[in-house]
Amino acid sequence: MDNHKEYSIEWGGRTLTIGVNLLAQQANGSCTVRYGDTVVLCTATMGGIREGLDFFPLQVDYEERFYASGKIKGSRFIKREGRPTDEAILSGRLIDRAIRPMFDSRMRNEVAVVTTVLSHDFENDADILGLIGSSCALMISDIPWNGSIAAARIGKQDDQIVLNPTYQQVDQAGVEFIVAGANGKTIMLEAGMNQVSEDEAIKMVELAHQNLQPVVDLINQVTKNHGKTKLDVFSPKNEEERTAAAERETLHGQATEFLKGHVKDTLFAQPLKSKADRKAAVYKLKEELDAHLTSLQLGKDKRKIAAEIVEDFVEAEVTRLILDEKRRADGRGLDDIRELVSQVGLLPRTHGSGLFMRGNTQVLSLVTLGAPGMAQTVDTMEFNVVRRFFHHYNFPSYAVSETKGNRGPGRREIGHGALAEKALIPILPPKESFPYTIRVVSEVLGSNGSSSQGSATASSLALMDAGVPIIAPVAGIAMGVASDEQNDRWQIITDLQDLEDGAGGMDFKVSGTRTGITAIQMDTKTSGLPMQVVKDTFAKAKVARLKILDVVEACIAAPRAELSKWAPRIETMQINPEKIRDVIGPGGKMINEIIAQTGVEIDIEDDGSVFITSTSAEGMAKAKEMISNLTREVTVGEVFTGPVTRLMDFGAFVEILPGKEGLVHISEMAPYRVEKVGDIVKIGDVVKVKVYEIDSMGRVNLSIKRAAPDYQDRPSDRPSLRGGGPPRRGGDRGSGGRGGFGGGRNDSRPSSRPPAGGPKDTSNDPFAITL
């Protein structure tokens, strides 16, 4: 189109391009963002006011499209993209946490921000582009928003911190740090790290900010040229609305005056130790306000309007108390952690269990160990990912004294579970030393401040209780802040809880070991954190983390030496990769037969690694024996006992190993001449045989007579001087008369037929006993 425009900068070694006035023109604001060959479309749309809400109804979605990477969904029955994947939900939450603080909290208009991935190059993740594009779409729209912001991904390569690493660089270094902000202030952090120090984490944030401003400047340039005038959604539009607004303001003023005189006596006269105590105090304050307003002859509707400010007023008073008096509602010091409790081994049948409590936050984590084949295959837009560790987080309504029904995991549960999972991944043992699939489930039984960090800590306890040889235990803490941005006043608090997570605050979660940080997630209700606040938070979080680890290690110092008796055992075998087909068998016949007979689970990898998982030692031993027999190489001189499977004129076939047969030629059946094979053996007979030859084609030649314990080389077994040597098998078993032998019987050889005139005395003949 003629009015389509593109704006570009060089950023992190590639070109970042923002395009406007081309796609989705009916949205309030839209743009495309391209980096490499990854392209996203970002839109922002605003609807009407939703009456009766006490929150801002913002919906942020991240839409993956398989066509973007040239893929068709792997399911045989469903080819269309369905509900968002966990990865898409996590990307949407990441964008949400960055853009939400820049909206006026008074907004009640529905706003939808959608990122759709149109093209993906398998190198550059689309989530950063989605955040940048969402910022730009909001800026050029008429939706009220106090941007702009940008975001960058930081990683490492060859021990050097780098901007916008590729997927491969992230996987190799184990470091991925996403920073969002503008003008030196941090709006959002998200990180998964392989035990990185606080100093190095700070350097990553600083590098990100150095590279955010060019993107912010680009968005501002696009906005200057294409931005719409922002709508005024707060000012009254007519006389009726002006009258209602004036009345609301008056009622709020009356409520504020009353609360100022009563909040200290009700909320802060004595420390409110528990969440229930604080909820009861706030409820009492509301009752007192309602009684006061009733005495002023105000009706129910007006009293309801006046009571709208109670929650915000209480949060503001909590902030003022922290800033002015360095006090907290529960009486703790600013750096104090609530009472900590750690326990393990609570349940009899689970493979591992751990309970962690921090104040009223209580999390029970359970570990289940499974076979390698239990790993989860995830079909994503970018890659097919195999996950051998997964953490699932459950948050029932009773954890916060509510009565909502269970409708399955929501976006919050998926996000919190993923954060704890990210914290735990760096400390897990490698598959080579611990091939189990590991599932950890965290049940949040009570919540009042960072149940996700409680889940990471409880999961460490459960993993050690299960005997999983983790590198080190992980603990997590949530840090908060009380702020007065206008006067540049900031006060960091340790171990955030309910009333402290209000306007002007932050939720800064840090997980890690004694060595370093493994996961970070921060969102804020400010316009951005100064760099000094970020630095001080990292320092205080480390002190708190080490205190929690002291409690964890006092409960269980190291992983148990043995797995639970209820956990399966895994033994590993290494076979020749060319023998894999022998173990599997045609159509899986052999492997299914082994599983059916032994009750084990078997997983085979392309390099010949065979993992046998079983809760039964007997089943394990039998399965190993069957696999060994299927894959072992037969050597000359070995003796086997096996059933006769086929009879031919020239001999009998005997199964010496599962699926492996050899031929006993008629001349090798007895130390005397045998006229018919059927005179010696029948199908199904179990005979003892010895391998005396493996020919150039790999065919195994067996002998019954040579398997006798006192067998000696006899003249009848030696090549005849006139007969040209012992019989030789022809090129095809069953061809050439008597098995394709060349030449006839050597008449000069002594006959081994029993003498005429009666049976031969076999009392000293071992073959008579065997056969």
Side-chain angles (χ1 to χ4, degrees):
M1 296 181 183
D2 293 339
N3 60 345
H4 172 57
K5 300 293 183 182
E6 291 187 344
Y7 300 82
S8 301
I9 58 171
E10 291 301 312
W11 191 52
R14 298 176 182 84
T15 301
L16 176 71
T17 301
I18 296 177
V20 294
N21 295 338
L22 179 62
L23 304 178
Q25 296 185 30
Q26 294 192 61
N28 293 63
S30 66
C31 67
T32 59
V33 183
R34 176 171 179 168
Y35 193 66
D37 283 341
T38 297
V39 181
V40 300
L41 168 67
C42 298
T43 62
T45 311
M46 185 171 70
I49 294 175
R50 290 181 59 183
E51 298 293 343
L53 293 182
D54 59 356
F55 62 91
F56 170 42
L58 171 66
Q59 179 72 28
V60 180
D61 288 317
Y62 181 91
E63 303 283 353
E64 295 179 328
R65 295 289 186 258
F66 276 66
Y67 60 69
S69 53
K71 292 178 62 177
I72 297 176
K73 198 171 178 64
S75 169
R76 292 178 58 192
F77 306 102
I78 301 173
K79 296 302 179 183
R80 182 184 183 125
E81 295 90 349
R83 67 179 299 276
T85 64
D86 286 0
E87 288 70 24
I89 289 172
L90 295 175
S91 296
R93 283 173 57 85
L94 182 143
I95 297 170
D96 187 314
R97 291 198 309 276
I99 65 174
R100 186 178 290 271
M102 311 306 288
F103 285 97
D104 191 313
S105 61
R106 297 174 297 164
M107 281 190 66
R108 296 297 180 265
N109 297 72
E110 291 185 301
V111 174
V113 177
V114 180
T115 295
T116 305
V117 184
L118 302 179
S119 177
H120 192 273
D121 63 6
F122 301 100
E123 288 190 0
N124 302 292
D125 202 325
D127 53 2
I128 293 294
L129 306 188
L131 204 161
I132 293 171
S134 297
S135 173
C136 186
L138 285 165
M139 284 296 292
I140 64 178
S141 75
D142 54 5
I143 302 171
W145 192 66
N146 300 318
S148 60
I149 62 171
R153 175 178 273 103
I154 305 298
K156 293 184 72 175
Q157 183 180 22
D158 300 327
D159 291 328
Q160 298 297 315
I161 301 174
V162 297
L163 173 69
N164 293 338
T166 63
Y167 286 106
Q168 184 179 8
Q169 290 170 339
V170 169
D171 289 341
Q172 289 175 348
V175 175
E176 182 179 33
F177 200 164
I178 298 173
V179 181
N183 304 314
K185 289 189 174 183
T186 304
I187 293 289
M188 188 277 301
L189 298 174
E190 177 89 23
M193 299 175 164
N194 190 7
Q195 301 188 84
V196 168
S197 70
E198 281 71 16
D199 289 342
E200 191 166 19
I202 290 169
K203 291 178 182 177
M204 293 180 183
V205 178
E206 291 174 334
L207 175 65
H209 277 293
Q210 293 169 15
N211 290 277
L212 291 182
Q213 200 56 45
V215 181
V216 172
D217 293 341
L218 179 66
I219 294 173
N220 290 338
Q221 181 186 358
V222 175
T223 304
K224 180 180 178 181
N225 295 334
H226 304 279
K228 301 176 183 178
T229 302
K230 296 297 183 183
L231 295 172
D232 182 358
V233 298
F234 301 111
S235 298
K237 304 299 186 293
N238 51 51
E239 189 62 33
E240 182 181 356
E241 289 184 2
R242 279 190 286 272
T243 301
E247 183 180 39
R248 183 180 298 271
E249 185 176 353
T250 300
L251 292 170
H252 286 176
Q254 289 177 307
T256 300
E257 285 301 317
F258 175 83
L259 293 172
K260 284 180 179 179
H262 291 75
V263 68
K264 287 187 177 180
D265 293 336
T266 305
L267 275 180
F268 305 127
Q270 59 185 2
L272 302 174
K273 295 291 186 181
S274 70
K275 184 176 182 179
D277 292 339
R278 291 185 291 277
K279 288 181 68 175
V282 172
Y283 182 75
K284 181 181 178 182
L285 194 63
K286 289 181 178 179
E287 285 188 322
E288 291 175 350
L289 174 62
D290 190 73
H292 170 70
L293 296 175
T294 300
S295 70
L296 298 178
Q297 305 299 314
L298 295 180
K300 182 178 180 181
D301 290 342
K302 292 184 177 180
R303 297 200 306 271
K304 183 177 180 181
I305 292 173
E308 292 173 347
I309 69 163
V310 173
E311 301 287 349
D312 290 341
F313 181 86
V314 169
E315 290 177 354
E317 281 298 301
V318 169
T319 298
R320 186 198 60 77
L321 192 71
I322 293 172
L323 288 173
D324 294 345
E325 303 180 28
K326 303 296 187 289
R327 290 174 51 206
R328 302 171 77 172
D330 62 358
R332 282 185 294 150
L334 301 183
D335 298 329
D336 291 346
I337 305 173
R338 289 167 290 172
E339 181 183 4
L340 302 173
V341 176
S342 294
Q343 288 181 260
V344 294
L346 287 82
L347 298 173
R349 281 277 184 159
T350 56
H351 299 166
S353 59
L355 177 70
F356 177 72
M357 295 178 61
R358 185 194 333 101
N360 295 133
T361 297
Q362 183 184 57
V363 183
L364 175 66
S365 291
L366 301 314
V367 171
T368 306
L369 303 178
M374 297 302 292
Q376 181 184 21
T377 300
V378 183
D379 187 14
T380 71
M381 176 187 67
E382 300 103 325
F383 308 101
N384 289 341
V385 181
V386 178
R387 301 170 60 208
R388 56 178 288 262
F389 170 71
F390 25 90
H391 173 267
H392 294 148
Y393 169 101
N394 294 323
F395 192 94
S397 59
Y398 61 73
V400 286
S401 302
E402 295 180 356
T403 57
K404 295 178 182 177
N406 180 12
R407 300 293 183 266
R411 293 163 65 104
R412 181 181 182 278
E413 284 80 6
I414 291 170
H416 281 47
L419 178 59
E421 180 177 300
K422 190 178 294 185
L424 296 165
I425 286 175
I427 55 96
L428 296 175
K431 183 177 181 180
E432 291 73 20
S433 61
F434 195 78
Y436 288 88
T437 296
I438 307 169
R439 182 186 184 221
V440 182
V441 178
S442 290
E443 303 285 355
V444 180
L445 308 179
S447 178
N448 181 26
S450 193
S451 55
S452 65
Q453 299 309 288
S455 297
T457 310
S459 296
S460 288
L461 290 164
L463 287 166
M464 290 193 288
D465 182 54
V468 178
I470 61 175
I471 295 171
V474 163
I477 189 69
M479 308 295 292
V481 71
S483 69
D484 177 3
E485 289 192 74
Q486 288 185 345
N487 297 301
D488 196 26
R489 300 174 66 199
W490 305 83
Q491 182 61 63
I492 299 166
I493 54 177
T494 298
D495 187 16
L496 181 69
Q497 64 178 353
D498 53 85
L499 296 179
E500 298 166 341
D501 189 19
M506 71 175 182
D507 188 359
F508 199 137
K509 306 180 184 78
V510 184
S511 306
T513 65
R514 292 191 181 276
T515 302
I517 298 169
T518 57
I520 300 169
Q521 187 179 94
M522 187 278 288
D523 57 76
T524 179
K525 295 181 176 71
T526 70
S527 61
L529 303 179
M531 193 65 213
Q532 190 58 48
V533 173
V534 174
K535 292 179 179 179
D536 292 345
T537 303
F538 274 125
K540 290 178 178 291
K542 180 179 181 180
V543 173
R545 185 174 79 244
L546 296 181
K547 289 180 180 178
I548 298 173
L549 286 171
D550 288 340
V551 175
V552 168
E553 292 171 353
C555 174
I556 180 168
R560 298 195 188 281
E562 295 290 333
L563 302 181
S564 163
K565 66 179 181 179
W566 305 113
R569 268 47 180 180
I570 296 179
E571 293 195 20
T572 306
M573 299 176 63
Q574 195 68 37
I575 65 173
N576 185 338
E578 295 182 358
K579 295 286 185 178
I580 292 176
R581 64 172 67 92
D582 297 332
V583 177
I584 295 175
K589 176 182 178 182
M590 292 307 304
I591 195 169
N592 288 329
E593 184 177 328
I594 297 171
I595 292 171
Q597 291 186 24
T598 63
V600 304
E601 295 180 56
I602 300 173
D603 299 287
I604 305 176
E605 298 192 345
D606 292 340
D607 65 353
S609 297
V610 180
F611 300 96
I612 308 171
T613 307
S614 177
T615 55
S616 165
E618 181 181 352
M620 175 78 76
K622 185 175 180 181
K624 289 178 66 177
E625 180 184 7
M626 294 177 74
I627 293 173
S628 295
N629 289 338
L630 282 170
T631 59
R632 62 175 292 188
E633 299 288 345
V634 176
T635 59
V636 173
E638 285 191 278
V639 176
F640 297 92
T641 300
V644 175
T645 58
R646 290 181 291 161
L647 298 182
M648 309 296 287
D649 290 342
F650 53 83
F653 287 92
V654 177
E655 185 179 52
I656 55 175
L657 294 172
K660 184 75 172 178
E661 293 181 337
L663 173 68
V664 181
H665 190 265
I666 191 169
S667 63
E668 293 292 332
M669 289 188 168
Y672 49 81
R673 177 178 175 78
V674 177
E675 289 291 340
K676 294 182 179 179
V677 173
D679 293 340
I680 304 298
V681 293
K682 301 288 190 295
I683 292 177
D685 287 353
V686 177
V687 295
K688 187 175 183 181
V689 294
K690 183 175 184 178
V691 179
Y692 73 90
E693 181 188 34
I694 300 175
D695 67 18
S696 60
M697 298 179 66
R699 295 178 299 188
V700 179
N701 294 321
L702 306 174
S703 173
I704 293 176
K705 66 181 182 182
R706 300 179 194 227
D710 61 346
Y711 171 79
Q712 294 181 355
D713 190 23
R714 306 178 186 182
S716 60
D717 298 321
R718 298 191 188 108
S720 169
L721 295 177
R722 293 187 294 137
R728 294 186 301 273
R729 190 179 306 167
D732 182 16
R733 293 176 176 174
S735 63
R738 288 220 186 202
F741 280 77
R745 176 173 176 263
N746 184 355
D747 294 334
S748 67
R749 292 170 61 187
S751 172
S752 54
R753 182 192 298 267
K760 178 181 178 181
D761 182 6
T762 60
S763 59
N764 295 319
D765 189 345
F767 293 98
I769 299 172
T770 301
L771 300 175

